[in-house]
Amino acid sequence: MSTPRTFRRLAVTAAAALAAVSLLASCATQTTATDAATGGDPVEGGTLTYLEHQPHTTLYPPQAGFYPNGGIVNNITARLTWQDPESLEIEPWVATEWTVNADATEYTFELRDHVTFSDGTVVDAAAVAKNFDTYGLGNTELGLTVSEAINNYASSEVVDADTVTFRFSAPAPGFLQATSTINSGLLSPETLDRKLEEFGAGSSTEIVGSGAFVVTEEEIGTSLRLEARDDYDWAPPSFEHQGRAYLDAIDLVVAPEDSVRIGSLLAGQADVIRYVQAFDEAQVSGAGFEIIAAPTRGVNNSIGLRFTNPLLSDLKVRQALVHGVDAQEVVDTIFTENYPVATSQLASTAAGYTDESEALAFDPELSEELLDEAGWQVGADGVREKNGERLSLTVYEAKPQPLSKQTLELVSQQLAKIGVELNVKAADAGSYAADILDPLKTPLYHSMVGRADNDVIKSQYFTKNRNTLLSNDAKLDELLTAVASEPDASKRDEASAAVQDYLTEQAYVIPLFEEPQVYGAAPYVHGFATEAVARPQFYDTWLDEK
Amino acid sequence: MPYLARRVGQALVVLALAFTVTFVLLQALPGDAILIKFESPELGLSPEQIADIRASYGADVPAWQQYLHTVSGFLVGDFGYSVQYGTPVHELLAAALPETLALAGLGFLVAVLIAVSVAFLSTLAPFAWLRQALRSLPGVFVSVPVFWLGIVLIQVFSFQLKLVPVIGADPVQSLILPVLTLAIPISAPLAQVLARSIDDVALSPFVAVVRAKGAGPARVLWRDVARNALLPTITIAGVLIGELIGGAVVTETVFGRAGVGRLTEQAVANQDVAVLQAIVILAAVVFVVVNLAVDLVYPVLDPRLKRKAVAA
């Protein structure tokens, strides 16, 4: 069933690669929002049709990292703070001001007046405390999990109706940014009494949030309708636009097939679509439509080398793999200029980034030297061998990553040139989920994670978080803990740089590119923007005459 | 009546077997829905949290206990929860079923219309080349992949000619292209079998007798041949219900329609066992009922079978 489609993709990929080169030549700027200025004054009203790639699974904010979930949660919840997507500064939103003690173990927030949930109840200190008690501690009885963004949470205290204090068992410098993420979207206390299942598909209209929109209709797995709240009047004070959203409503429709999403946009049946594949970008922009490539500001799209696998336990082998992969060729062949080549394990737009490009440079000759030194000799079939064992490794196609299979196959070709065999496997979800937890079955792991805070690197590599390297390296854990517990901002950046230096030195990761979220928008759509990690933000969006 | 009772008994055995085999196969697959959804590094949950989740879904008890639990649930109409959606399975099915019934029902109807038209026209059409062309249509239809047909129909009728929208269509509009997509490949085997049986019956001696008595070709075809040629077609139609379900999976995915097919695709992708178990049983029930109906229709169409049954 996949053959004609694969062929089509290949053909289009080739065309897109050509087009990408010409695009590179013509324009080098990257847009992260549709232009609000060129369309004149914003117009209130209208319904925008937004096409999603996959159906959402839950609206419980700590599990909103999945893009379809996050896209909804971002629009139906307000947060204590707002993170400017460009400067990454934390600004007031529902909280008007806050204080943090010296070792970042106590945060006190003053709340804005007249903020309400969509059922009319007031967003007061007690409600906010309940939100963070749930997100910080979880609720086992209800199946509600702890938010990945909140570390070391201990307790809350309602000081008065407008003041709430949170305490932590250890320094938690990432907490302020955590209050701005979709994972900390403020929900009504009653909603937080629901079981995890009751946040799932089919219950969306019952989720009471605090944002500019509210879900009013749902057809499970197919479509949602979000309507603007007329009484919404608590946009972050830094926004030019205050009051209710411009749009009356958003029709969110799930269209899994790429060609249907693109075709609907170009044929005027949809206004904004998510997940424009790299090979379709040229078709969209060529038709006069806008491509919005929003950076995800976190750990780059990269391949982790699981060093607990015996084949990868030798530093020289890992270094050889790192220098044997040409990320530039990957981007030039498969992607577009919206996918910048990685210069570190972190994106250059991420908090705490430091440039590692020199130490990570593509150098196949060096790779061959390193492998020779490590005692791996080229065998009869071109694959290196040592003591009768072949240097043959496996990686699984990662479904959430764009064009993962094509990317890994190209990497495999590159590694073949230095005598390393890389088998790219595709698996059903069950085998994949089981095998990626075993370094023997999955020595290389393709992934990324977005979050605009220094903590992001800890999320990806810490043994008690995502642990994508399946690490047993105590030194790495120690360095990562420092990032998540250093209260001083500049020292935190240093701690983050130390982690990147260490990852480079140990050759634990092959960074490939800075992964964006790519949206397509019709020319008459203005003010479409994304939050700091590229989730769609419809508050400022308005529709011109078609 | 004993015949009907026997058939219903058989049907129940088939359902019980389908249920058990599905359960065993789904258990035997590597991984499970909880692993897929919650142990994914993407969520960053601790092993303790995952253990809690397992316990809350009752997935930490031995398989035979889960089996008994599931069976007793099914007997009282409780199909459990979807791990992927976090929604009761009966709610998911209740939302999906009407959509799929409309799609599959209309798809089947249109398929029959196409098949009958092609089969009869290919017998009655005036020119040999036209008859030949019509005869070769089912061969083309049967080899068209459903998803490809869907995409082509969308590209041509929706995006190029702008006759029907795919996104934001009203309920009637939204059925046109999916129904065609589903109907065309299903119509092919029906048309092939019908055309073939028309040929066979047309050669039988009684037709020669009717012709000799002076009946015109149209009367022969409609009154004498068609009725006899329908039996094998109806048998095939019963079997094609399976194709309809398979076709609905692809059609609903391509068109982004809600329905059992889409639900199946999502459930398979995420190993959502509770949903799959319910869908398999639903499909088995439909299959059994349709085949039972086909068996009961036979004697109506062919009185000889009724006499045989009475004689037995």
Side-chain angles (χ1 to χ4, degrees):
Chain A
M1 152 169 159
S2 73
T3 325
R5 183 172 151 144
T6 313
F7 176 74
R8 183 178 66 85
R9 280 193 168 165
L10 279 176
V12 187
T13 309
L18 272 175
V21 174
S22 55
L23 267 176
L24 255 179
S26 63
C27 71
T29 50
Q30 187 174 314
T31 23
T32 53
T34 55
D35 200 345
T38 53
D41 287 334
V43 180
E44 203 170 281
T47 298
L48 177 137
T49 302
Y50 172 64
L51 301 190
E52 241 304 340
H53 173 224
Q54 293 158 297
H56 86 281
T57 56
T58 179
L59 295 181
Y60 178 58
Q63 291 185 11
F66 182 53
Y67 267 88
N69 299 347
I72 302 166
V73 170
N74 188 38
N75 288 290
I76 65 167
T77 66
R79 271 86 76 187
L80 284 182
T81 59
W82 165 253
Q83 184 174 31
D84 184 292
E86 293 301 324
S87 68
L88 304 188
E89 291 293 318
I90 305 295
E91 299 170 354
W93 191 350
V94 171
T96 50
E97 54 188 280
W98 52 85
T99 53
V100 186
N101 71 351
D103 59 356
T105 54
E106 197 179 295
Y107 288 73
T108 300
F109 292 87
E110 291 294 328
L111 306 180
R112 189 168 174 162
D113 291 329
H114 314 299
V115 178
T116 57
F117 293 108
S118 55
D119 63 356
T121 55
V122 179
V123 179
D124 57 10
V128 171
K130 181 162 181 175
N131 272 267
F132 284 92
D133 286 348
T134 308
Y135 303 157
L137 302 170
N139 186 327
T140 310
E141 209 175 299
L142 300 174
L144 302 178
T145 54
V146 174
S147 166
E148 189 187 13
I150 302 176
N151 289 308
N152 309 324
Y153 186 88
S155 63
S156 64
E157 185 195 333
V158 177
V159 180
D160 60 48
D162 296 327
T163 314
V164 59
T165 297
F166 301 110
R167 296 198 172 83
F168 296 81
S169 58
F175 180 69
L176 186 60
Q177 191 272 348
T179 63
S180 77
T181 64
I182 51 162
N183 306 103
S184 302
L186 297 173
L187 299 179
S188 81
E190 240 172 77
T191 300
L192 291 169
D193 287 334
R194 301 171 79 88
K195 288 196 258 174
L196 182 61
E197 291 85 48
E198 294 165 337
F199 283 90
S203 318
S204 308
T205 55
E206 292 155 37
I207 304 301
V208 176
S210 47
F213 292 90
V214 60
V215 181
T216 54
E217 284 170 39
E218 176 179 26
E219 207 179 324
I220 296 179
T222 310
S223 64
L224 288 176
R225 188 176 172 85
L226 277 67
E227 285 181 19
R229 280 181 66 186
D230 277 329
D231 59 345
Y232 181 83
D233 195 16
W234 46 91
S238 61
F239 282 23
E240 212 174 293
H241 165 208
Q242 295 291 323
R244 55 156 281 177
Y246 294 129
L247 292 169
D248 285 338
I250 302 157
D251 277 332
L252 184 157
V253 180
V254 180
E257 177 59 38
D258 290 340
S259 65
V260 172
R261 280 198 314 287
I262 301 280
S264 305
L265 177 70
L266 300 185
Q269 295 178 19
D271 308 311
V272 177
I273 63 173
R274 185 178 81 83
Y275 204 54
V276 177
Q277 299 270 26
F279 51 73
D280 284 328
E281 280 185 21
Q283 192 193 349
V284 174
S285 48
F289 287 64
E290 203 154 357
I291 292 283
I292 299 110
T296 52
R297 300 174 195 282
V299 174
N300 280 326
N301 184 303
S302 50
I303 302 173
L305 302 176
R306 270 107 175 246
F307 47 89
T308 46
N309 180 303
L311 287 174
L312 295 177
S313 61
D314 187 340
L315 173 63
K316 286 188 169 152
V317 173
R318 296 196 303 270
Q319 285 172 331
L321 292 176
V322 169
H323 294 299
V325 172
D326 185 356
Q328 184 72 52
E329 190 193 13
V330 170
V331 170
D332 290 347
T333 313
I334 302 170
F335 297 99
T336 66
E337 87 280 6
N338 291 322
Y339 297 68
V341 174
T343 51
S344 167
Q345 294 80 16
L346 288 184
S348 59
T349 49
Y353 159 85
T354 184
D355 189 351
E356 301 278 330
S357 54
E358 242 169 80
L360 294 168
F362 172 58
D363 188 348
E365 279 165 32
L366 176 62
S367 296
E368 300 208 53
E369 258 170 56
L370 287 162
L371 289 171
D372 288 341
E373 281 171 33
W376 291 92
Q377 301 302 328
V378 180
D381 58 353
V383 177
R384 288 174 185 263
E385 290 173 6
K386 183 178 171 180
N387 306 328
E389 193 176 12
R390 295 169 81 245
L391 191 47
S392 173
L393 299 160
T394 299
V395 66
Y396 275 103
E397 171 191 6
K399 295 264 161 63
Q401 267 54 70
L403 305 177
S404 169
K405 188 154 190 282
Q406 290 84 337
T407 302
L408 295 172
E409 276 166 0
L410 184 53
V411 167
S412 172
Q413 286 170 26
Q414 293 172 348
L415 291 178
K417 289 180 189 151
I418 59 164
V420 177
E421 181 177 73
L422 179 63
N423 302 304
V424 181
K425 294 216 268 189
D428 61 277
S431 311
Y432 177 77
D435 282 4
I436 57 166
L437 303 174
D438 181 352
L440 295 179
K441 289 183 174 150
T442 313
L444 276 72
Y445 179 64
H446 189 198
S447 67
M448 65 76 71
V449 57
R451 181 183 166 194
D453 184 77
N454 295 52
D455 275 4
V456 71
I457 199 163
K458 176 176 172 265
S459 293
Q460 178 81 340
Y461 298 118
F462 191 59
T463 46
K464 290 192 180 62
N465 294 119
R466 298 184 178 213
N467 192 19
T468 53
L469 293 173
L470 301 176
S471 160
N472 60 2
D473 184 339
K475 171 88 189 289
L476 178 60
D477 267 7
E478 195 184 304
L479 290 169
L480 290 167
T481 310
V483 175
S485 54
E486 176 53 62
D488 180 78
S490 67
K491 284 188 186 158
R492 240 181 126 206
D493 285 347
E494 283 168 29
S496 179
V499 173
Q500 292 162 72
D501 289 343
Y502 185 72
L503 289 170
T504 304
E505 187 187 299
Q506 292 296 320
Y508 281 163
V509 180
I510 308 174
L512 295 173
F513 54 85
E514 302 182 358
E515 189 177 315
Q517 275 292 317
V518 184
Y519 299 85
Y524 51 81
V525 175
H526 303 281
F528 171 77
T530 55
E531 48 83 89
V533 197
R535 269 102 189 177
Q537 176 97 6
F538 290 108
Y539 174 66
D540 276 336
T541 309
W542 56 279
L543 301 170
D544 217 338
E545 294 286 307
K546 280 193 189 183
Chain B
M1 216 51 213
Y3 171 75
L4 191 63
R6 203 169 66 235
R7 287 306 310 262
V8 171
Q10 282 170 352
L12 288 177
V13 173
V14 168
L15 288 181
L17 277 175
F19 183 92
T20 308
V21 169
T22 313
F23 187 88
V24 171
L25 286 177
L26 289 173
Q27 288 289 326
L29 284 175
D32 62 28
I34 294 168
L35 179 81
I36 292 167
K37 183 168 179 191
F38 294 102
E39 287 186 53
S40 150
E42 313 290 313
L43 274 182
L45 298 181
S46 71
E48 296 80 37
Q49 289 176 324
I50 292 165
D52 284 342
I53 292 168
R54 271 194 187 282
S56 74
Y57 276 103
D60 55 345
V61 299
W64 64 268
Q65 278 185 25
Q66 289 184 44
Y67 179 77
L68 291 182
H69 180 81
T70 319
V71 172
S72 53
F74 265 68
L75 290 178
V76 297
D78 171 12
F79 305 143
Y81 273 96
S82 151
V83 175
Q84 177 64 17
Y85 285 115
T87 309
V89 174
H90 70 83
E91 242 175 66
L92 290 174
L93 281 178
L97 207 52
E99 302 276 341
T100 303
L101 283 180
L103 174 66
L106 280 173
F108 188 71
L109 209 68
V110 173
V112 169
L113 282 178
I114 297 175
V116 171
S117 321
V118 169
F120 282 81
L121 285 177
S122 71
T123 312
L124 289 175
F127 310 107
W129 63 266
L130 187 54
R131 288 197 293 272
Q132 205 52 48
L134 285 166
R135 275 290 154 104
S136 57
L137 263 189
V140 176
F141 288 171
V142 83
S143 34
V144 169
V146 180
F147 78 92
W148 181 84
L149 181 65
I151 290 174
V152 168
L153 289 178
I154 290 175
Q155 290 290 349
V156 174
F157 292 101
S158 184
F159 297 161
Q160 301 298 324
L161 302 176
K162 304 194 192 254
L163 293 176
V164 267
V166 179
I167 307 294
D170 65 45
V172 177
Q173 283 180 330
S174 75
L175 273 169
I176 298 173
L177 293 180
V179 162
L180 273 180
T181 306
L182 193 56
I184 289 177
I186 302 271
S187 73
L190 282 176
Q192 281 173 326
V193 169
L194 188 56
R196 178 79 197 273
S197 351
I198 288 175
D199 288 352
D200 285 350
V201 177
L203 290 177
S204 43
F206 86 90
V207 175
V209 173
V210 176
R211 277 214 192 97
K213 283 182 165 171
R219 195 206 112 104
V220 171
L221 185 63
W222 289 113
R223 280 211 42 166
D224 304 300
V225 176
R227 203 167 162 171
N228 288 290
L230 271 180
L231 277 186
T233 315
I234 285 174
T235 313
I236 285 284
V239 177
L240 282 178
I241 294 295
E243 300 266 327
L244 269 179
I245 295 170
V249 173
V250 181
T251 309
E252 287 173 358
T253 306
V254 169
F255 286 87
R257 285 179 61 85
V260 179
R262 181 79 169 282
L263 194 60
T264 312
E265 186 250 321
Q266 288 288 319
V268 169
N270 297 295
Q271 242 177 72
D272 208 339
V273 172
V275 178
L276 284 176
Q277 190 83 49
I279 289 174
V280 168
I281 288 304
L282 181 73
V285 168
V286 171
F287 217 85
V288 163
V289 168
V290 168
N291 280 294
L292 188 59
V294 166
D295 284 355
L296 296 177
V297 166
Y298 278 157
V300 179
L301 285 175
D302 188 344
R304 287 173 299 178
L305 290 173
K306 209 184 284 171
R307 257 177 265 129
K308 262 189 215 159
V310 171

